[in-house]
Amino acid sequence: MAFRSPSLAMLACRLALLGGIAVLLLAPWLFDSEGLAVLTQFLTLLVLALMWNLLAGYADIITVGQHAFVGIGAYAFYGFAALAGVNPYAAIPLAALVALVAAVPAMAIVFRLRAAYLAVGTWVVAQVFMLLAGKLPGFGFGSGVSLPIAVAQAFGTDPAGRYTTIYLLALGLAAVTLISTWLLLRSRIGIGLTAMRDNEEAAGALGVNIVRARILCFLWTAPFLGLAGAIITLQNLRISPPASFSIIDWTVFVIFNVVIGGIGTLEGPILGTALFFVLRAYFSDLGTWHLIILGVLSIVVILIEPRGLWGLLRRVLPGDLIPVSHRRAAAAGAVRAAPERFEPQPPA
Amino acid sequence: MIDTIANVLLQGILLGGLYALFALGLSFSMGVMRFVNIAHGDFIVLVSFLLLVLTTALGLNVFVALILVLPVTFAGGFLLQRFLLQRAAGSDVLLPLLITFGLSIIIQNGLLQTFGADSHVLAGAGTLQTASIALTSGIYIGVLPLLTLLTAVALVLGLDRLLNYTRLGSHIRAVADDVAAADLIGLSSGRVYALAMGIVGVTVAIAACFMGLNMNFDPTSGPDRLLIAFEAVVLGGLGSLWGTLAGGIVLGIAQTVGAHFDTAWQLIIGHVVFLVLFLLRPQGLFPKY
Amino acid sequence: MVITPSAPLLAVEKLSVFYDQFRAVDSVDLTVTPGEIVSIIGANGAGKSSFLKAIVGQGGRVAGSIRFDGQDIAAWPTSRIVGAGIALVPEGRRLFPTLTVEENLRLGWDVGRRGGMTAEEVFDLFPMLREKRRVPAGQLSGGQQQMVALGRALLSDPRLMLCDEISLGLAPAIVNDLYALLEKINRRGIGIVLVEQDISRALNVAHRFYCFLEGRVSLAGVPRATGRETVMKHYFGS
Ligand SMILES: Nc1ncnc2c1ncn2[C@@H]1O[C@H](COP(=O)(O)OP(=O)(O)O)[C@@H](O)[C@H]1O
Ligand SMILES: [Mg+2]
């Protein structure tokens, strides 16, 4: 790092974050359809990363099955919009609702398993959902089906307008996901989970029921994953079990992104997902090598710094970019307040 | 009718023998090292490809190739544990999980890169794959599935003896009981874990041989094998090798019965039976811990 | 002034033990000569267990030197240290509950110097263990478990035994037996470091003692030559 002081580095990070937000807000004017499509993918993957991180980084639920809820969201959206004839805009929140409902029975199984068993357990559940989706009449069985033109056109009659609408939906979803998750983590429940994760005895003293908090988090992620599934379907214009329930696209990449970026922070998933898109821009023609490189990179990163690239940066930076814990925020406040004590007393 | 039922059950039991072979190594590592190797299925597939190369390129009999491969997979397991997985031991579950997850993706894509996406089957065992024994007029037992089941039983017996009647076995059980205590008295857990993972490597090679003989495999077959293996271990009860064998057989029967009614439902029925049995009896059939 | 009669078996110099930044043991000097019983007393948290674990290469990060029989063992792995003849009887016994009594004992032999006592000789010392040899150690009473823990250490044929609070949670009669046994072991020429919270017991059997206070040696001496008040003062700090 070429920065001479930590606060300069912090400033640079803040500027990068603000710059990124500005670019995202102005994107419809800055980019063509192709660029917007890539940004839409970025935002949906960011939502998936934030959700996986909420579970694995805070709620101690390491899932390898989150693609299930993406797929359920996709199929539900198709079902409402294409089969039931519901207004396509209304079909999006309905897809979230279906994902939430599906999370309830999944929870019964998942929460009886602990730790690593839970991980494979979620995978089995996801596998069952995927196989069942391939048996649904009306959804094209194993090979899937395209979204009717009418549904797509409800989001814009010309492709350019449609890309913009879908992009704005994805941007809204990402913003809502990020802000609500941030608020959740700063709530008493989130503080309890963070304390629990950091093995602090305070966890019990905070009076947070950890089991209930974990259940809340699990249910919390389902609708967001379902919404992401709906937007992904809008973008790809088709559903199929292997694509809508793709473990590689919606779970493997996501885990790598979060791990490389930094698990258990809010900055990590953002950094990891952004890096993923930068790498993909350069390595897209590498095919399978792309995944091999990501796999090696994630193993190397966690062996060097289990808190990922953000963990490495955090050694230089004086604080979080997006502070989650009140304690740390309070500590930062105390540092800022401290010099006041040494201010010369105003003359009487 | 009776014949049909008996036949379906019998074929299910035989299929279960294969599933138990997939699961025994995983059961061993879950019971001893208390971690789930996400790449377990991919290791099996990787060794199947190794056997494929040995049998096709060198024209070896598949069982000769297996014997040649055993020391390699033992060393592979040992070194993997010693130099990679051990670095994550003692930390929370996340690290080993993510490392083996990364390995899984690396193996799958490495195989895709090297062998392409085609599926393969192992040959080179003469008429073994086609021979069968007629029990009654309607019931045939394939010699290969029977040999597979017998191998699974022999492997359970062997692992059971190793664990309970050898010095290494008592060291492995001690480390599984209390790693920190083992380290305190100078029984270095790293070495014991590495040896245990070497043993897992041996079981992986045996599983790979019989998988390749019994069914098609391609570079992405690993996760399905992992899920079956995991289900067999959980159904059987953690830490019980005989339980794992039983779990594999339950899954084999469930799938064969499902396939009898509609082949398209074979996999779903297997998973659903697992989930239902798990909800009814989360501790498994023969829990040890 | 303590006069050490012969070349020390164990010579610890300026040993510190750290857990992250926290210094649990602070520049401790300590020696044990062959055939000596040395007690370490000190309040809870004084650093006694950390000190013993550091000698066998476990626990926190260490600084300083640990010489055993003239060799610097501070950087050795535990298995090598135990193989050279130091056995730890850990705090809380730390048996392997699903292994049988006999298997637990054999582990001592496996990690040790491969000589000295056999399991049968341990059963001669603790006759009540003989009939329990095939019972999982987790099913034994606390006193019996402590016997197995001592036996396990003995089977490794140690020249130095480090015993961490072997009397904890046991009935006084059993503790008497264990202490009688320690003296018997000691008469075979095995050096013993005895960590105890029970001051009078520890001082009764010891040739010399060290008192730990907040990681430092606050007092060292010969029990008979040291007044009770002096010990108490350095035990609690003043
Ligand atoms: N694994 C550990 N990590 C952090 N601190 C430890 C650890 N073990 C012991 N300590 C601390 O080191 C100090 C000394 O502990 P210990 O050696 O167990 O003392 P004693 O055996 O005299 O009761 C205590 O303050 C204890 O909290
Ligand atoms: Mg202690």
Side-chain angles (χ1 to χ4, degrees):
Chain A
M1 279 262 136
F3 299 109
R4 261 185 293 134
S5 83
S7 48
L8 261 183
M10 194 71 192
L11 189 66
C13 287
R14 287 227 172 86
L15 284 178
L17 184 67
L18 287 178
I21 293 172
V23 168
L24 287 176
L25 285 174
L26 299 175
W29 292 277
L30 295 177
F31 296 100
D32 59 2
S33 297
E34 211 174 309
L36 283 182
V38 171
L39 282 181
T40 305
Q41 285 174 5
F42 166 75
L43 291 168
T44 46
L45 268 193
L46 177 62
V47 170
L48 302 188
L50 287 168
M51 292 300 96
W52 192 80
N53 179 53
L54 173 64
L55 293 186
Y58 292 92
D60 195 24
I61 302 171
I62 304 160
T63 134
V64 190
Q66 81 167 11
H67 52 287
F69 298 106
V70 178
I72 289 169
Y75 270 66
F77 172 73
Y78 181 89
F80 286 118
L83 300 181
V86 174
N87 176 323
Y89 280 99
I92 297 176
L94 285 173
L97 192 66
V98 172
L100 179 62
V101 170
V104 175
M107 209 171 57
I109 288 156
V110 168
F111 272 84
R112 288 193 183 200
L113 293 162
R114 295 259 312 281
Y117 311 111
L118 188 153
V120 189
T122 57
W123 197 346
V124 172
V125 171
Q127 194 76 2
V128 170
F129 277 127
M130 184 190 82
L131 290 169
L132 284 175
K135 306 285 173 212
L136 287 178
F139 292 80
F141 298 105
S143 49
V145 60
S146 293
L147 202 61
I149 312 239
V151 174
Q153 282 183 341
F155 295 89
T157 39
D158 66 312
R162 196 160 61 232
Y163 275 114
T164 308
T165 312
I166 297 171
Y167 170 75
L168 291 175
L169 285 172
L171 184 61
L173 172 62
V176 170
T177 310
L178 183 61
I179 293 168
S180 64
T181 306
W182 180 66
L183 289 175
L184 174 69
L185 288 175
R186 284 177 70 92
S187 73
R188 219 163 56 84
I189 290 169
I191 304 279
L193 286 173
T194 310
M196 172 78 191
R197 180 197 68 187
D198 297 341
N199 259 331
E200 284 170 24
E201 288 175 3
L206 282 166
V208 174
N209 182 329
I210 294 297
V211 176
R212 238 183 282 162
R214 295 175 69 219
I215 289 176
L216 174 74
C217 286
F218 187 78
L219 294 179
W220 180 280
T221 60
F224 289 107
L225 297 172
L227 288 172
I231 289 175
I232 287 163
T233 305
L234 269 178
Q235 206 178 17
N236 295 348
L237 297 174
R238 74 176 277 117
I239 54 163
S240 73
S244 301
F245 288 81
S246 167
I247 182 171
I248 294 283
D249 290 333
W250 316 135
T251 299
V252 174
F253 280 141
V254 168
I255 293 179
F256 285 162
N257 293 348
V258 176
V259 168
I260 292 172
I263 191 169
T265 63
L266 280 182
E267 297 89 346
I270 301 175
L271 183 64
T273 308
L275 187 71
F276 173 76
F277 274 83
V278 173
L279 287 178
R280 208 180 65 168
Y282 287 103
F283 294 125
S284 58
D285 45 352
L286 283 177
T288 51
W289 280 108
H290 182 213
L291 271 162
I292 297 176
I293 291 168
L294 276 179
V296 172
L297 193 62
S298 74
I299 290 179
V300 169
V301 166
I302 43 176
L303 285 180
I304 293 172
E305 169 55 271
R307 296 238 164 259
L309 292 180
W310 183 251
L312 284 176
L313 274 178
R314 199 52 186 69
R315 294 181 187 174
V316 187
L317 298 176
D320 290 332
L321 213 47
I322 312 173
V324 166
S325 101
H326 287 293
R327 189 165 43 80
R328 252 185 239 150
V335 170
R336 242 177 281 123
E340 285 167 20
R341 267 185 271 146
F342 302 105
E343 268 173 12
Q345 291 292 311
Chain B
M1 180 65 199
I2 296 286
D3 264 12
T4 319
I5 293 174
N7 194 36
V8 167
L9 283 180
L10 198 61
Q11 303 308 327
I13 292 171
L14 294 173
L15 181 61
L18 181 63
Y19 289 170
L21 276 182
F22 295 163
L24 281 170
L26 189 70
S27 179
F28 201 76
S29 58
M30 279 164 76
V32 173
M33 283 161 277
R34 305 287 154 86
F35 92 106
V36 179
N37 176 6
I38 299 278
H40 182 73
D42 303 295
F43 286 148
I44 295 177
V45 173
L46 178 66
V47 178
S48 295
F49 273 98
L50 186 58
L51 290 170
L52 182 71
V53 170
L54 288 176
T55 49
T56 52
L58 302 181
L60 291 177
N61 176 292
V62 68
F63 294 110
V64 175
L66 173 63
I67 288 170
L68 290 179
V69 157
L70 285 179
V72 176
T73 56
F74 178 87
F78 186 95
L79 296 174
L80 180 77
Q81 179 68 34
R82 190 90 205 184
F83 293 107
L84 188 60
L85 300 179
Q86 191 61 30
R87 304 186 61 163
S91 65
D92 55 1
V93 292
L94 190 62
L95 237 49
L97 200 75
L98 293 177
I99 290 176
T100 54
F101 190 69
L103 281 177
S104 159
I105 300 301
I106 293 170
I107 293 173
Q108 282 176 42
N109 289 282
L111 287 174
L112 271 173
Q113 191 73 35
T114 318
F115 295 96
D118 292 346
S119 65
H120 303 268
V121 67
L122 288 179
T127 56
L128 183 69
Q129 271 141 306
T130 49
S132 65
I133 305 165
L135 283 190
T136 67
S137 56
I139 303 180
Y140 291 91
I141 291 188
V143 172
L144 177 63
L146 184 63
L147 186 64
T148 307
L149 178 64
L150 292 178
T151 306
V153 173
L155 192 57
V156 173
L157 276 172
L159 289 175
D160 194 65
R161 282 205 75 83
L162 175 92
L163 271 182
N164 292 308
Y165 300 98
T166 67
R167 182 179 304 167
L168 175 60
S170 75
H171 293 187
I172 290 174
R173 284 181 296 129
V175 170
D177 259 7
D178 189 342
V179 196
D183 284 327
L184 271 182
I185 66 159
L187 182 68
S188 80
S189 59
R191 192 186 126 270
V192 176
Y193 276 158
L195 287 170
M197 205 58 191
I199 294 166
V200 171
V202 168
T203 71
V204 161
I206 296 170
C209 174
F210 282 94
M211 177 189 78
L213 288 170
N214 277 287
M215 51 171 66
N216 288 327
F217 58 93
D218 66 65
T220 57
S221 305
D224 282 341
R225 309 292 174 263
L226 168 74
L227 293 189
I228 290 279
F230 174 81
E231 291 173 355
V233 175
V234 172
L235 274 187
L238 204 57
S240 163
L241 295 170
W242 289 106
T244 300
L245 178 63
I249 288 175
V250 168
L251 288 174
I253 292 175
Q255 285 198 1
T256 320
V257 170
H260 179 70
F261 294 108
D262 184 347
T263 40
W265 286 81
Q266 174 170 358
L267 292 179
I268 295 193
I269 297 291
H271 291 311
V272 168
V273 164
F274 161 73
L275 292 176
V276 170
L277 287 180
F278 173 71
L279 285 179
L280 294 177
R281 200 174 157 78
Q283 73 276 32
L285 298 171
F286 305 102
K288 194 159 166 200
Y289 299 113
Chain C
M1 187 66 205
V2 177
I3 298 153
T4 42
S6 61
L9 183 63
L10 179 75
V12 176
E13 269 174 46
K14 297 230 176 330
L15 185 73
S16 297
V17 180
F18 299 89
Y19 298 104
D20 288 325
Q21 301 301 313
F22 176 68
R23 193 191 286 255
V25 175
D26 189 357
S27 307
V28 166
D29 294 326
L30 180 146
T31 54
V32 183
T33 52
E36 203 178 20
I37 300 184
V38 170
S39 282
I40 300 177
I41 56 174
N44 227 336
K48 307 180 298 292
S49 299
S50 301
F51 178 76
L52 291 194
K53 283 193 265 183
I55 293 174
V56 296
Q58 291 285 314
R61 188 167 52 79
V62 302
S65 96
I66 308 171
R67 303 185 78 79
F68 177 65
D69 204 18
Q71 286 174 293
D72 190 346
I73 61 168
W76 288 13
T78 307
S79 52
R80 187 167 169 206
I81 295 171
V82 175
I86 302 183
L88 173 67
V89 183
E91 188 172 10
R93 323 190 225 293
R94 302 300 285 268
L95 298 183
F96 301 100
T98 68
L99 269 61
T100 64
V101 167
E102 200 165 12
E103 285 172 331
N104 268 284
L105 291 174
R106 283 196 65 93
L107 281 179
W109 199 84
D110 291 347
V111 298
R113 289 199 298 159
R114 308 282 168 96
M117 259 188 196
T118 63
E120 287 309 318
E121 285 173 281
V122 169
F123 290 140
D124 290 340
L125 283 178
F126 304 105
M128 71 167 78
L129 291 183
R130 180 169 274 125
E131 64 199 58
K132 306 242 177 200
R133 62 199 298 167
R134 308 226 185 283
V135 174
Q139 293 175 15
L140 300 184
S141 71
Q144 291 166 341
Q145 290 194 7
Q146 192 64 70
M147 293 171 195
V148 178
L150 280 167
R152 181 175 68 186
L154 285 173
L155 274 182
S156 70
D157 191 21
R159 298 165 65 198
L160 177 66
M161 258 173 73
L162 313 174
C163 304
D164 199 347
E165 307 216 17
I166 54 171
S167 66
L168 201 69
L170 302 184
I174 293 173
V175 180
N176 288 341
D177 290 351
L178 291 177
Y179 268 76
L181 182 90
L182 278 185
E183 299 197 84
K184 201 161 147 190
I185 293 168
N186 176 243
R187 281 196 291 276
R188 295 170 168 236
I190 299 176
I192 294 178
V193 177
L194 197 61
V195 160
E196 268 300 346
Q197 282 196 42
D198 183 337
I199 303 174
S200 37
R201 265 191 203 284
L203 296 186
N204 271 338
V205 292
H207 301 119
R208 286 186 305 117
F209 76 95
Y210 293 80
C211 183
F212 278 28
L213 178 65
E214 291 170 359
R216 294 169 172 276
V217 174
S218 58
L219 182 69
V222 177
R224 275 158 209 73
T226 314
R228 181 91 188 161
E229 280 81 65
T230 322
V231 173
M232 294 319 280
K233 206 176 96 207
H234 289 90
Y235 186 96
F236 292 111
S238 40

